[in-house]
Amino acid sequence: MLTALGIKNYALIEDISLDLTENFSIITGETGAGKSIILGALSLLLGKRADLNAIRDSEKKCVIEGHFLIAEYGLKSLFESNDLDYEDETIIRREILPSGKSRAFVNDSPVKLSNLSTVGNHLIDIHSQHETLSVGSTNYQYRILDIVAQNADISKEYQANFKKFQVLKQEFETLKIQQQKADEAYDYNLFLLTELEEAKLKPGIQEDWESTQNKLSHVEELQERIGTSVNLFEDESIGIITQLREANQNFQKVFQLDSSFKDLSERISSVLIEMEDISQETQNEFEELEVNPVLLEDINSKLENLYNLQKKHHVDNIENLIEIQSELEEKVSLKQNAEAELKKFEKAISEQKSKLESIAKELYKSRKNTTKIIKTSVENMLADLGIEDAQLKIESEFTGEFAARGADHFQWLFSANKGNALQDIKKVASGGELSRITLAIKSLLAQYDNLPTIVFDEIDTGVSGDVANKMGLIMQDMAKSMQVISITHLPQIAAKGEKHFKVFKTTVNQKTQSNIKVLSKEERLQELAEMLGGDKTSDSAMAHAASLLK
């Protein structure tokens, strides 16, 4: 329930505050006084985009703030799913800065307009004059069916499975396109893959081949130089090792005579051991060296093939070739395994379709079962509202064609007069009839939809007299279980409210501004007398107004 509304620096409003604690509040005022401005401010709280032109004083910010008591409406999970702080008394605020930037807050935490709109749709239902036409909207008609049928859970289940069905079909179509492309390139890709597979590519193999090639290409020079080195190490007369051994023996004796030479003696001994090890390894390498033209030719052939492959695929290393080979394997595999993969998808789609169809039928059945309830309720209420011969028929069919809202079709047919053929409701209902149909439906929905607040903006258009009085009684009855705010120009409805606000214009410092005030009992009598079209000072007008209040 909306308990308070504050509006600052918005359109013709300087600064007003409304206390809306009662269940049924009335707002009246002359045309152009500013009633629509209040609706505009409420719309901003529900996430409507802001207009910089709405700022009254361009040097100050515009602030709209609403206080809502929502403890009884089970909205905690909604707040949590939108990552919003929940409070039993929730405050929503919109600000439009002079720069044109708009900000929104829920319980003082900044929020996106999309989140604000989601929450706002569960707090207030604003029904403006042009929205009487929504009765003919297919989306609105489905919303009525689902609210009365209490279809929230099954609708969510259908939506989730419909989305999964759509994803599977999209993936299937994508796979078919990929398969078609794979078919077209299969032979060429297979040829390229075979070339790469025959090359037996491995990480690091190019470096190994190039090293072996270099070694075999210079084997004679290597033999000469390594052989010379072996002779320098091992020559019996002048070899490095022979001389090191002699030096080592000398220092062994020096160390025995003077212990201060211990370190030098150990170092020479260590060098001797290292040189003997180097000499042995050099000898081993020398013995393994041999001219091998057959191996060299094989290595040259492999490297030439490898370089040609790199040139062909526009890469400069073997790792890139291995990546290309992996990609080609996937493409070839897609072609080779496509039939099995397509059958797998076809099976999954078929299973999902069966599941979706089962849910859609359940959804259709629950909707169809509500059509009689809606028909009876609306026709009875329209009879009370002066359309005694009104007929409403909701035709239904399970089409099996899956759409976002289900796999069925409902057509709402209406006739206001006996003997007239039933036709599509949006084509045959007049403005006054649409107003009464809308109120009848809103009254029905109030029994099923736990909505805190509903705002009627001149829903009484096209009616008067006894019908207006009955419309007021219906709103009064709705207000027993929810908050109802009615902006009206009819005294019969205005008299039914618990609290009566009047919007009026004044001129301050050569500038027009809208104001709103709560009417006292006497002021309310005068307002109703004026709305009746009489002289508010005459006894008859005042008596008529008083009779309405009773």
Side-chain angles (χ1 to χ4, degrees), residues 8-31:
K8 293 182 180 179
N9 196 35
Y10 180 67
L12 294 178
I13 295 175
E14 179 71 29
D15 186 357
I16 65 170
S17 295
L18 281 71
D19 175 10
L20 294 155
T21 52
E22 282 73 14
N23 278 28
F24 191 18
S25 297
I26 297 295
I27 300 176
T28 61
E30 295 180 2
T31 301

Side-chain angles (χ1 to χ4, degrees), residues 127-136 140 431 434-436 438 458-459 461:
H127 191 88
S128 58
Q129 294 178 54
H130 70 274
E131 284 183 305
T132 52
L133 298 175
S134 64
V135 171
Y140 186 64
L434 283 173
S435 295
R436 282 174 269 189
T438 298
E458 298 191 6
I459 196 174
T461 299

Side-chain angles (χ1 to χ4, degrees), residues 28 491 500 502 517 519-538 541-543 545-546 549:
T28 61
H500 190 149
K502 180 176 181 178
K517 68 176 181 177
L519 299 182
S520 65
K521 184 177 181 180
E522 185 61 30
E523 289 172 329
R524 194 173 185 188
L525 280 170
Q526 294 176 359
E527 175 71 3
L528 291 175
E530 281 191 16
M531 294 175 73
L532 285 164
D535 182 354
K536 65 181 179 180
T537 61
S538 72
M542 294 294 284
L549 283 175

Side-chain angles (χ1 to χ4, degrees), residues 140-158:
Y140 186 64
Q141 291 171 358
Y142 269 93
R143 180 171 175 265
I144 296 166
L145 290 166
D146 285 335
I147 289 175
V148 177
Q150 300 290 281
N151 273 341
D153 291 339
I154 189 173
S155 289
K156 286 180 181 178
E157 185 182 5
Y158 176 84

Side-chain angles (χ1 to χ4, degrees), residues 84-301:
L84 301 175
D85 295 329
Y86 175 84
E87 298 288 344
D88 285 345
E89 183 176 356
T90 282
I91 300 174
I92 297 179
R93 186 171 77 256
R94 282 293 298 278
E95 296 180 356
I96 310 173
L97 305 181
S99 63
K101 183 178 180 181
S102 170
R103 301 186 299 184
F105 302 85
V106 174
N107 295 323
D108 287 328
S109 296
V111 299
K112 297 178 182 178
L113 285 188
S114 57
N115 296 117
L116 188 61
S117 179
T118 299
V119 171
N121 286 336
H122 288 78
L123 298 179
I124 301 180
D125 176 11
I126 297 180
H127 191 88
S128 58
Q129 294 178 54
H130 70 274
E131 284 183 305
T132 52
L133 298 175
S134 64
V135 171
S137 160
T138 301
N139 287 336
Y140 186 64
Q141 291 171 358
Y142 269 93
R143 180 171 175 265
I144 296 166
L145 290 166
D146 285 335
I147 289 175
V148 177
Q150 300 290 281
N151 273 341
D153 291 339
I154 189 173
S155 289
K156 286 180 181 178
E157 185 182 5
Y158 176 84
Q159 291 290 334
N161 280 278
F162 177 70
K163 184 176 181 181
K164 186 176 179 181
F165 181 63
Q166 293 292 90
V167 169
L168 281 172
K169 289 204 300 181
Q170 183 61 49
E171 289 177 348
F172 180 67
E173 291 303 316
T174 301
L175 183 62
K176 285 202 297 185
I177 292 171
Q178 290 175 344
Q179 172 58 28
Q180 184 179 353
K181 291 180 179 178
D183 284 345
E184 294 169 356
Y186 174 72
D187 290 337
Y188 182 59
N189 287 335
L190 183 61
F191 169 73
L192 294 177
L193 177 61
T194 302
E195 273 189 331
L196 292 173
E197 287 177 337
E198 288 176 350
K200 294 180 169 49
L201 305 175
K202 295 179 183 177
I205 199 170
Q206 180 175 347
E207 291 78 4
D208 291 344
W209 287 346
E210 288 173 340
S211 176
T212 302
Q213 181 195 51
N214 189 54
K215 188 175 183 179
L216 291 172
S217 299
H218 301 87
V219 67
E220 293 177 352
E221 184 180 350
L222 289 170
Q223 285 175 330
E224 180 184 347
R225 292 186 180 279
I226 294 174
T228 300
S229 298
V230 169
N231 288 333
L232 288 172
F233 293 151
E234 298 289 351
D235 188 273
E236 292 183 0
S237 58
I238 62 171
I240 294 171
I241 293 176
T242 301
Q243 295 182 58
L244 275 173
R245 284 172 180 161
E246 186 178 343
N248 185 47
Q249 290 171 358
N250 287 333
F251 264 84
Q252 288 288 334
K253 292 178 180 179
V254 169
F255 166 57
Q256 292 172 3
L257 296 173
D258 185 346
S259 61
S260 65
F261 288 95
K262 179 183 178 182
D263 185 52
L264 275 173
S265 176
E266 289 177 348
R267 289 170 66 188
I268 291 171
S269 178
S270 177
V271 170
L272 175 60
I273 293 170
E274 178 66 15
M275 283 306 303
E276 287 175 338
D277 187 57
I278 290 172
S279 177
Q280 184 61 51
E281 286 194 27
T282 304
Q283 181 67 37
N284 293 341
E285 289 290 339
F286 179 75
E287 291 173 357
E288 289 181 5
L289 282 172
E290 62 176 329
V291 177
N292 192 338
V294 176
L295 179 59
L296 178 59
E297 185 179 353
D298 181 54
I299 292 295
N300 286 337
S301 176

